[in-house]
């Protein structure tokens, strides 16, 4: 592993977060970047977390969750027969096994919708998540390889494409399994809106050379907001009419984690706050230190060191943690969408 650099020593297009001051890899070849997968630098946790997440989702692809649909219900019934000529009734108590309710759980459904049964759709959703995690690993692993800002933007577009693909393709569960009692056209209309939005965002991000970080944030934020609107349009009537809310809660929590990660990244938390209070201050400024600055100095002294901020606990690493939690909630939302779809009675 070559000697690591500071933020002032790397290429200008890699200096987008000046509060991460150390741990940068020098410019290297693709082969050297591959070897750095096992090295220790400020992108190590970003690479490892999503590589581990990809492996876990791949396991779910091979072994999707399944439940036993053969459960039966036993009840006691009372029958009364009335004889002819006014004879008294004879009452008999018998335990009768009701026919099993054919719930089409994951792994057992033969019903096809949009060309796939729930098991196939669940595996396809897992493959989408694997794709976004692989795109993220590729981006972070080969960041030192581009020799110009143009080539770096092409590499970054790989990561952006994975994000937009994930937002669009994972809408399948709530669009076609979100509400069994909704009209068929609502699912197709929602899918069309999400698909057109995804294509528009990809066009703006990939083919617009003037689209910077703020532009990408606005475009992807618009896409997420539209997806959330379609989700509520499909799922809320189910909650109100049938009382099934587990899937909606999981989908909502996935948005909470995404929003939390976005806020953390936007405020460069916590590296921005820690760097500001740890910089040398004039004596007059030190005397006027507020309670907030004293708190952050205490955090930087006793809880998180400067190296830990650069390597493990900076805003982008926390964003990766939030994405993993959001992915977990999306998969749970898919699972409960299928379950509640089969339980629905219209």
């Amino acid at each position: 592993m070559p000697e690591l650099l500071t933020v002032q020593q790397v290429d200008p297009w890699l200096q987008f977060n000046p509060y991460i001051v150390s741990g940068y890899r020098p410019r290297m070849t693709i082969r050297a970047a591959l070897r750095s997968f096992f090295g220790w630098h400020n992108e190590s946790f970003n690479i490892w977390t999503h590589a581990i997440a990809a492996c876990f989702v791949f396991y779910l692809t091979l072994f999707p969750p399944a439940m036993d649909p053969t459960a039966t219900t036993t009840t006691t019934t009372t029958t009364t027969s009335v004889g002819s000529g006014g004879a008294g009734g004879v009452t008999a108590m018998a335990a009768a096994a009701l026919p099993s309710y054919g719930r089409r759980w994951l792994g057992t459904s033969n019903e096809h919708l949009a060309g796939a049964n729930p098991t196939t759709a669940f595996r396809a959703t897992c493959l989408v998540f694997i794709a976004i995690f692989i795109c993220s690993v590729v981006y972070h692993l080969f960041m030192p390889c581009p020799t110009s800002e143009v080539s770096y933007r092409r590499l970054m577009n790989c990561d952006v494409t994975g994000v937009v693909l994930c937002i669009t393709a994972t809408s399948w569960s709530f669009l076609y399994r979100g509400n069994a009692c909704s009209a068929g056209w609502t699912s197709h209309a929602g899918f069309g809106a999400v698909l057109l939005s995804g294509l528009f965002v990809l066009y703006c991000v990939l083919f617009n050379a003037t689209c910077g970080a703020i532009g990408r944030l606005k475009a992807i934020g618009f896409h997420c907001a539209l997806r959330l609107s379609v989700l509520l349009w499909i799922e809320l009537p189910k909650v109100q009419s049938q009382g099934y809310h587990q899937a909606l809660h999981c989908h909502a929590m996935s948005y909470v984690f995404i929003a939390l990660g976005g806020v953390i990244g936007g405020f460069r938390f916590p590296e921005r706050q820690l760097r500001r209070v740890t910089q040398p201050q004039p004596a007059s400024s030190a005397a006027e230190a507020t309670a907030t600055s004293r708190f952050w100095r205490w955090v930087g002294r006793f809880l998180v060191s400067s190296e830990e901020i650069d390597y493990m606990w900076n805003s982008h690493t926390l964003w990766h943690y939030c994405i993993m939690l959001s992915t977990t909630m999306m998969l749970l939302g898919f699972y409960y969408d299928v379950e509640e779809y089969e339980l629905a009675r219209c």
Side-chain angles (χ1 to χ4, degrees):
M1 186 72 185
E3 183 179 357
L4 300 179
L5 308 177
T6 64
V7 66
Q8 292 83 9
Q9 296 173 309
V10 296
D11 294 315
W13 51 85
L14 297 178
Q15 299 178 9
F16 48 83
N17 190 347
Y19 303 105
I20 301 178
V21 298
S22 63
Y24 291 88
R25 292 166 292 172
R27 186 180 295 179
M28 55 181 58
T29 63
I30 294 178
R31 181 175 297 181
L34 286 172
R35 289 197 298 267
S36 71
F37 181 92
F38 303 99
W40 181 243
H41 45 82
N42 62 12
E43 294 292 344
S44 296
F45 261 68
N46 294 331
I47 296 170
W48 296 342
T49 52
H50 278 186
I52 293 172
C55 293
F56 174 70
V57 178
F58 181 69
Y59 170 81
L60 292 179
T61 306
L62 297 178
F63 306 101
M67 291 189 180
D68 184 8
T70 60
T72 59
T73 304
T74 303
T75 186
T76 302
T77 61
T78 302
T79 59
T80 303
S81 60
V82 180
S84 59
V90 178
T91 303
M93 304 293 293
L98 296 180
S100 61
Y101 169 47
R103 295 168 71 177
R104 300 179 295 276
W105 299 96
L106 284 174
T108 63
S109 175
N110 294 320
E111 180 182 0
H112 288 258
L113 184 59
N117 62 26
T119 302
T120 304
F122 183 84
R123 285 173 170 159
T125 303
C126 289
L127 291 177
V128 171
F129 283 118
I130 292 174
I132 184 179
F133 288 137
I134 290 177
C135 288
S136 176
V137 170
V138 168
Y139 166 64
H140 289 283
L141 185 61
F142 297 110
M143 281 180 68
C145 298
T147 57
S148 66
E149 187 173 0
V150 174
S151 57
Y152 172 74
R153 284 179 60 88
R154 291 173 181 169
L155 177 64
M156 184 175 57
N157 286 341
C158 174
D159 192 26
V160 175
T161 302
V163 172
V164 178
L165 173 65
C166 177
I167 296 171
T168 305
T170 55
S171 304
W172 185 94
S173 66
F174 64 80
L175 284 172
Y176 291 101
R177 284 295 188 271
N179 189 352
C181 301
S182 63
W185 66 268
T186 58
S187 299
H188 300 310
F191 176 76
V194 174
L195 180 61
L196 290 176
S197 174
L199 294 175
F200 174 74
V201 171
L202 283 178
Y203 172 78
C204 293
V205 173
L206 300 183
F207 300 102
N208 187 358
T210 61
C211 182
I214 301 299
R216 289 191 297 271
L217 179 62
K218 290 181 179 179
I220 296 177
F222 167 79
H223 193 40
C224 286
L226 177 65
R227 184 182 185 273
L228 177 60
S229 301
V230 175
L231 168 68
L232 297 177
W233 181 43
I234 296 290
E235 296 267 1
L236 278 181
K238 176 183 67 175
V239 176
Q240 295 170 353
S241 62
Q242 303 172 38
Y244 298 133
H245 52 75
Q246 197 70 25
L248 181 59
H249 286 174
C250 291
H251 287 301
M253 285 304 301
S254 72
Y255 274 94
V256 169
F257 287 124
I258 289 178
L260 178 62
V263 171
I264 290 174
F267 285 97
R268 304 292 191 189
F269 178 87
E271 65 269 15
R272 182 178 183 178
Q273 291 74 18
L274 285 173
R275 298 300 182 200
R276 284 183 172 181
V277 299
T278 55
Q279 290 176 352
Q281 300 289 337
S284 58
S285 300
E288 299 174 357
T290 63
T292 302
S293 62
R294 286 195 295 269
F295 167 76
W296 283 111
R297 286 196 182 96
W298 182 86
V299 170
R301 178 175 298 179
F302 297 105
L303 294 183
V304 184
S305 67
S306 176
E307 182 179 357
E308 289 172 339
I309 286 292
D310 289 339
Y311 287 77
M312 293 183 294
W313 297 109
N314 57 72
S315 57
H316 196 74
T317 305
L318 294 177
W319 161 257
H320 276 226
Y321 301 153
C322 290
I323 288 296
M324 294 172 67
L325 292 173
S326 178
T327 298
T328 303
M329 299 312 298
M330 284 186 186
L331 289 174
L332 286 174
F334 183 101
Y335 179 84
Y336 285 114
D337 272 329
V338 174
E339 180 175 325
E340 293 169 2
Y341 184 90
E342 308 302 340
L343 292 173
R345 287 295 177 264
C346 303

